Structures are given as structure tokens and as C-alpha cells.
Amino acid sequence: MDGDVLLQAIASGLLIGMVYALISVGLTLIFGLMEIVNFAHGEFLMLAMYAAFFGRSLVGLDPMLSLPATVGLLFLLGVLTYRGIISRILHAPMLAQIFATFGLGLFLRGLAQFFWSPDFRSVEAPFLAGLSGGGVEVGSVSLGVPQSAAALLAGLAFLALYLFIDRSRTGLALQAVAEDRATATLMGINSDRMFALGWGLGAACVGLAGAVLATFYYIYPSVGVVFALIAYITVALGGFGSVPGALVAGLLVGLVEVVSPTLFGFSPAYKYAVVFGFYLAVVLVRPQGLFGRF
Amino acid sequence: MTGFARSRPGGWLPVAATLSALVVFPLVVDDGSWLNTAVLVLLYAGLAQAWNILGGFAGQISLGNAAFFGIGAYTSTVLLDRWNVSPWLGMPIGAVIAAGFAVAVFFPFFRLGGHYFAIATIALAEILLILFTNWAFVRGARGMTIPFVRGPDRRPTDSWAFLQFNESRVPYYYVVLGLAVLAVAIAIAVERSKLGYYLRAIKNDQQAARSLGVPVLRYKLIAVAISAAVSAVFGTFYAQYLLFIDPETTMRLELSVLIALVAILGGVGTVVGPLLGALVLIPLSEVTRSQLAGSGNTLDLVLYGGLIMLIAVFQPNGLVAVGDRVRRRRRAVRPAGDGAERGDAPLVGAPGAGD
């Protein structure tokens, strides 16, 4: 086993792990707030990637320049989803909640395929891919610029989220609603607005992930499916509702996915099987996930 | 919940009428695509019924039931392909393997609560999908083709012994009808047995059930074993019906979700729910697909997803709840004209209020 190869795999795993963490944190934010899993999360990611794509092909904006618009659009989509669908099923059985969001996902995927065809697309000459030839050498390890930028942005997003949730008044209100909706309402917090904000933030996070992912990944209507699957595993692994859990679990999932084939020498075709198996092994020891509260 | 409303004595007439209608259906409707839709309705009705035993009665939401379906399909197909074993024998063997697999794997899973359990079942089915996709013994992603049974003139022919019908597809319909009736019979038997009461107790409050002496884990395992075995039986049927299986069509997540969806749209925890769900959802998906997807677009997905969303939002307790509400209203109206029965009216309406 070559040490350099292993080092390279660790670095790549951590980079993609940051993206997984960013996708997952949106899911876990929403869950922590209202115990609803958004099964349309992958389609939110897909829409963000298309937003980045069309920003380039229609308006000529690089995904990095259209990024604020993409994040804003996704925030809006999250709020609309809450207002239009979720607010009506807050007290419905868990199954109805699962299928309302699952139906939304199918609906969005169908629309995307109807309007934009099932073709695989990619953003033309993204700025990041051209920067310093698209790669940087750190010692013996070479890192893709888009991947590194994605990881960096994900890190910044986590920092911003932490500051917002733990330091701002609105963030504290969010936490209060997550803790105890009724008491928070008595304290004068409008829980309905907090829920809408939670959905907006959750979707905005996945919007950011989609915008950066679009610079180095193919864009097609069902692109969200595999990422969403990983996000569910990541969220459950970290503990539903835990933001630090999503970060740690995202990095772990990325590491397991990339390092395990290198380390144990099996075909990368099995990488997701190993990730899912790793998840099962962890939750069977810790049923509430790594950072779960219950 | 509402399942017992149907066990009243007068309930046999609609059952008999439905069954006779189902038996004569292929004689009246001589159309390949409708027959295919009917086969799929019965197939999904059976699969949803199997899901319902664990997900509906016991409240353990599995989004990985396609794994059991796939095990059934692959067991009989491998036995047939390698050792020329009849699918009729492969079917119970597949059921036993699926049940054994389910018990072994779900034994630790049942420690997990709510969403953790659901995600674990997704992970399980995905692992199985990936393993089968890369497993040379079952021809990996290329899938397995079941060879035609050929008559003396070398032409594909019908064979009850090998569960294969090439001249007319109608026998497939009767086979799946028989299997669906079997699945319903099993569900009714479970619902009315001690097991059914225990499962409902577990669903309502696991801690309370345990403190009253219900061996929670054992009954959950029995439920998943039954659920897996029934699903596997339909897997064998599906393999014989299509004469081709691959990991993607038999084990993918969408299939698991669809199975659960049929039961949920119909009404969880009732015997009628999964049947109703299949009757509404499957023709809808088939018709929208054949009408709208022909040109390669996906308006069918849009419609289908939109409808699922609408039902979840406006009818969160499933279609069965619509019938119950109508019936309740009718009963509530009737005593108003009949003074002697007036006292019953609020009682009739009350039980539904809690579900």
C-alpha cells in the first residue's frame, strides 16, 4: 500500500465529505426544527444545479457569480414548500409527511425532465475548473480546484450557520422553537415564521451545495437521487437534528466512500454498499446516531 | 383502527361480489394492456398487504421491502436457471429464505426508532441492490433471462408445471389473483389473531405493550418474517411474468417506496386499504404512463407526484378514511329520523375521532 495513494484518497474523501455535510445540514436543520424529513431534498439540489447551469447558458454568469441568486432562489423554494405543503401537514401522521415530500420530489423531477430533457449537461468552462489548470499540488497530493472551493465554501457555510444559530437572536428563537414549540410561542416567538425560516435556510444550504457541485458534476433530472440517499444516511449517522453531527458524519461518509476501496482493495462499484454498511454498523451500536439526542 | 368495520356479518356480500367480478374479469375484458394493468394491481395489492403487516399493523415503517421481493425473484430464478427447479418449488424456498434473512437482519434493526429504522431499511435494500448488481453468479447488472418452455414443435408454449404462459397471458392473471387472495387471507388471519392485537399494541405504545408483558421483539420478528415471505412469493411470480429480472427492477428504492405508498394511500393498518390503494394508484400510473409518456416526456411523473402530494395533504389517513367518513355521516343522519336510535349517533362517530 502506497502511502501517497492513501493520503490522496483521504484528501479527496474529506473534500467530497464537506459537500455531503453541506447537503445534509439542510435536511437536519429542518428535522431538528419540526421532526419532518424532506424527501424532496435531492430534487432541491437538482434544481440548484440547473439554476447554476442556466445562469451560465442563458445569462452567461459563472456558477460562482450566480451563486447568491441560486441560494436566494432555493431559500424561496424552501419557504414556498413550507407555506404551500408542510404547514398543512404539521399534525398529520408521519407517513403522510413522508409521502407529501416524496410526492413533491417526484413532481419536481418529472417537471425537470419534461422541460429540460433527461440529457446529461455540464456547465461550460466554469471559472474554477480553469483556475490554475483546475488543480493544485499540496505535497504529493493533488486536489481539484472546484472540489477544494466546494469544501471551502461548505466550511464557511457551517461557520455562518453556527454563528447565526448560536449567536443571533433569530437563531436563538429557532432553537427555542425546536426545543419546545408551545413554550416558545408563549415567549412571543412566531413559530410559524421560524418554521418557514428553517425551510428557507435548509433549502439555501442545499442550494449552495448545488451551485458548487454544478462546477464539477453532471447535471440531470435524477442527479439528486443518489446525493439525497447519501444525505439521509449522513443525517441519521450524525443524529437527526444535529448540525455538528451532519458535519462529522458527512466527513466520515466521504472518507469511507473514497478511502475504503483504496485501503481494502475492492472495486469502487461497492463503495456505496460499504458506506451504507458503515452506517448500519454505527447505528446498531448507537441507535440515536453519533450526536443524536434521543 | 378501522379494519374491524369490515368484519361485520353483512360484509360477506361485497366480498363475494368483488371476487366473482375478479374471476370473470379476463373473460369480459379481452384486452392485453388492461389485463396487464389488472395483473399489476393484484401484484401491488399483495405486496402492499405484505408491507401492511409490518408497517400498518405494527407501525414499523420499512422502505426496503423490495429486498424481500428481489430475494423471492432471484431464488426461484436461480434455482430454475441452474438446476431446472420448478418455480412452484422455488416460490416457497424463496419465501423461507426471505423470511430467514428478514429475521436475521431485522433482529438488530428493531432497536432503532422511527426515522432511523426507515433509513436503515433503505440502506439494507440498497446494499443488496449493489451486491446483486456486481455478483457474477446472478449475472450482475445484466440480469437473468428465464428461457422459454418449448413444445414439441420448438415453439414457446404454456406450462403450469413451470409457471410460464406464452400463448395467452390470462393464466398469469389467475395465478396472481390466487396469490393476492392468499395475501389478503393471511392479513385477515393476522389481524384477527392474538398476533394482530399484539402488533397494534406495539404500534400504539411500545413501552406500554412491553410493560404489559407483550414480547415486543418476538412479535415484530414474526411480523417481518410473514411480510418478507409474502413479498418473496410475489417476487417469484413477477420473475415468471416478465421472464426477465435484474437487480434494478426487483430491488430499487422506488419499488420499496411504491409498495409502502400503495398501502399508505389506501389506508394504513386496514386490510382494505392496500387493496384500495393498488386499485387507485396502479391504473393511474399505468394510464398516465401510456397516455402521456409515449413521446418520451415525463408528464406522468408530474401528475403522479402531484397526486401523491395532494392525497397526503388532504387525505392524510388514506382513502379508507374517505369511506369511513361517508359511512359515519350516513349513520349519523339515519337515527335523526328514528327517535329510538338517537342515543347511538354520537357513539358511532366517536371511534374515528382518534385516528
Side-chain angles (χ1 to χ4, degrees):
Chain A
M1 170 96 256
D2 191 345
D4 284 352
V5 177
L6 186 62
L7 214 57
Q8 174 72 50
I10 291 174
S12 308
L14 288 175
L15 291 187
I16 192 69
M18 283 304 285
V19 177
Y20 291 162
L22 183 57
I23 298 171
S24 309
V25 76
L27 208 55
T28 213
L29 266 180
I30 293 168
F31 186 89
L33 203 54
M34 56 210 312
E35 307 210 342
I36 288 180
V37 175
N38 176 19
F39 280 90
H41 204 64
E43 279 62 42
F44 283 15
L45 179 79
M46 175 270 294
L47 289 178
M49 291 174 77
Y50 271 104
F53 171 79
F54 285 117
R56 177 71 188 195
S57 70
L58 298 181
V59 195
L61 280 179
D62 188 84
M64 286 302 109
L65 291 176
S66 62
L67 192 139
T70 305
V71 172
L73 277 177
L74 264 287
F75 183 92
L76 207 63
L77 177 69
V79 172
L80 283 177
T81 304
Y82 173 73
R83 291 270 179 242
I85 301 166
I86 307 302
S87 63
R88 295 166 202 274
I89 52 163
L90 277 181
H91 306 290
M94 171 186 145
L95 286 173
Q97 296 172 339
I98 290 181
F99 281 96
T101 56
F102 183 80
L104 175 67
L106 275 185
F107 180 77
L108 294 175
R109 209 188 308 161
L111 275 185
Q113 196 163 331
F114 179 66
F115 284 115
W116 306 323
S117 87
D119 295 347
F120 281 51
R121 301 160 189 262
S122 53
V123 172
E124 221 173 289
F127 164 73
L128 288 174
L131 196 66
S132 104
V136 283
E137 303 283 329
V138 182
S140 63
V141 176
S142 74
L143 304 170
V145 171
Q147 286 83 347
S148 310
L152 189 69
L153 278 170
L156 288 175
F158 265 94
L159 187 66
L161 261 183
Y162 166 74
L163 290 176
F164 175 72
I165 293 176
D166 258 42
R167 294 282 184 270
S168 77
R169 282 181 67 85
T170 319
L172 291 176
L174 270 178
Q175 287 190 51
V177 172
E179 200 71 42
D180 184 339
R181 197 181 307 174
T183 311
T185 309
L186 287 177
M187 300 296 133
I189 298 169
N190 184 341
S191 65
D192 188 56
R193 281 189 62 186
M194 288 302 127
F195 286 157
L197 175 67
W199 273 83
L201 276 180
C205 288
V206 82
L208 178 63
V212 289
L213 211 52
T215 61
F216 63 93
Y217 210 88
Y218 283 113
I219 301 154
Y220 51 99
S222 54
V223 64
V225 176
V226 81
F227 282 104
L229 203 55
I230 292 177
Y232 301 136
I233 300 290
T234 306
V235 167
L237 182 64
F240 274 104
S242 164
V243 171
L247 179 60
V248 173
L251 290 172
L252 275 175
V253 166
L255 275 180
V256 169
E257 178 190 317
V258 184
V259 174
S260 61
T262 316
L263 201 57
F264 303 110
F266 53 79
S267 151
Y270 292 103
K271 65 181 183 182
Y272 290 125
V274 175
V275 168
F276 299 147
F278 172 70
Y279 159 73
L280 289 179
V282 172
V283 284
L284 292 180
V285 181
R286 264 188 81 80
Q288 71 277 48
L290 293 173
F291 290 74
R293 277 179 295 183
F294 51 89
Chain B
M1 223 160 61
T2 45
F4 277 80
R6 267 150 289 276
S7 59
R8 67 192 185 284
W12 284 108
L13 197 65
V15 170
T18 311
L19 264 182
S20 357
L22 285 170
V23 169
V24 298
F25 175 82
L27 308 175
V28 180
V29 181
D30 187 20
D31 175 276
S33 82
W34 276 109
L35 189 73
N36 179 48
T37 304
V39 167
L40 292 179
V41 167
L42 291 167
L43 174 76
Y44 280 102
L47 287 171
Q49 203 64 262
W51 181 90
N52 198 34
I53 291 171
L54 183 66
F57 295 157
Q60 306 296 308
I61 307 308
S62 159
L63 295 177
N65 263 33
F68 308 139
F69 180 77
I71 288 175
Y74 268 96
T75 303
S76 64
T77 305
V78 167
L79 286 174
L80 176 64
D81 186 63
R82 303 275 152 147
W83 297 286
N84 207 28
V85 176
S86 162
W88 288 112
L89 195 58
M91 194 181 266
I93 296 175
V96 169
I97 292 180
F101 173 78
V103 169
V105 173
F106 278 64
F107 179 75
F109 278 17
F110 281 133
R111 293 178 61 207
L112 306 173
H115 288 95
Y116 289 96
F117 178 81
I119 303 251
T121 60
I122 294 180
L124 172 72
E126 286 296 309
I127 291 175
L128 217 60
L129 170 65
I130 294 167
L131 292 182
F132 271 72
T133 305
N134 294 287
W135 190 13
F137 181 71
V138 297
R139 310 234 167 83
R142 278 178 304 149
M144 301 183 76
T145 306
I146 295 167
F148 286 126
V149 174
R150 291 179 192 279
D153 55 352
R154 307 290 304 147
R155 284 190 16 181
T157 180
D158 290 357
S159 166
W160 275 96
F162 278 85
L163 187 53
Q164 191 182 119
F165 310 100
N166 298 303
E167 282 158 32
S168 158
R169 313 278 286 167
V170 173
Y172 278 124
Y173 172 84
Y174 285 111
V175 170
V176 76
L177 177 59
L179 294 177
V181 168
L182 183 72
V184 171
I186 290 173
I188 291 176
V190 168
E191 187 189 35
R192 296 188 181 176
S193 67
K194 201 169 70 173
L195 173 62
Y197 285 96
Y198 281 153
L199 294 181
R200 279 190 291 274
I202 291 169
K203 178 186 185 173
N204 286 336
D205 188 338
Q206 186 164 312
Q207 296 303 332
R210 185 174 289 132
S211 69
L212 289 173
V214 176
V216 170
L217 181 62
R218 187 195 308 163
Y219 284 102
K220 282 182 180 172
L221 287 174
I222 294 174
V224 77
I226 297 173
S227 182
V230 174
S231 308
V233 163
F234 283 94
T236 297
F237 169 80
Y238 185 76
Q240 292 302 123
Y241 183 61
L242 287 194
L243 296 179
F244 171 76
I245 53 169
D246 65 2
E248 209 36 49
T249 48
T250 54
M251 297 183 185
R252 68 185 191 284
L253 176 61
E254 280 88 346
L255 179 63
S256 293
V257 173
L258 181 58
I259 292 169
L261 190 62
V262 166
I264 292 163
L265 284 187
V268 174
T270 67
V271 172
V272 176
L275 307 178
L276 208 57
L279 194 61
V280 172
L281 202 61
I282 304 304
L284 186 89
S285 123
E286 287 300 304
V287 168
T288 50
R289 188 182 318 172
S290 63
Q291 296 302 312
L292 297 172
S295 50
N297 69 44
T298 46
L299 271 184
D300 61 318
L301 262 188
V302 177
L303 204 74
Y304 190 59
L307 209 95
I308 291 170
M309 214 162 33
L310 286 178
I311 296 178
V313 170
F314 292 106
Q315 203 48 251
N317 288 313
L319 297 170
V320 161
V322 181
D324 283 350
R325 203 186 306 154
V326 170
R327 200 173 306 121
R328 218 176 297 144
R329 197 172 298 156
R330 214 188 292 149
R331 281 192 208 168
V333 169
R334 206 190 300 138
D338 185 348
E341 275 186 73
R342 199 179 301 150
D344 288 347
L347 285 178
V348 174
D355 59 35

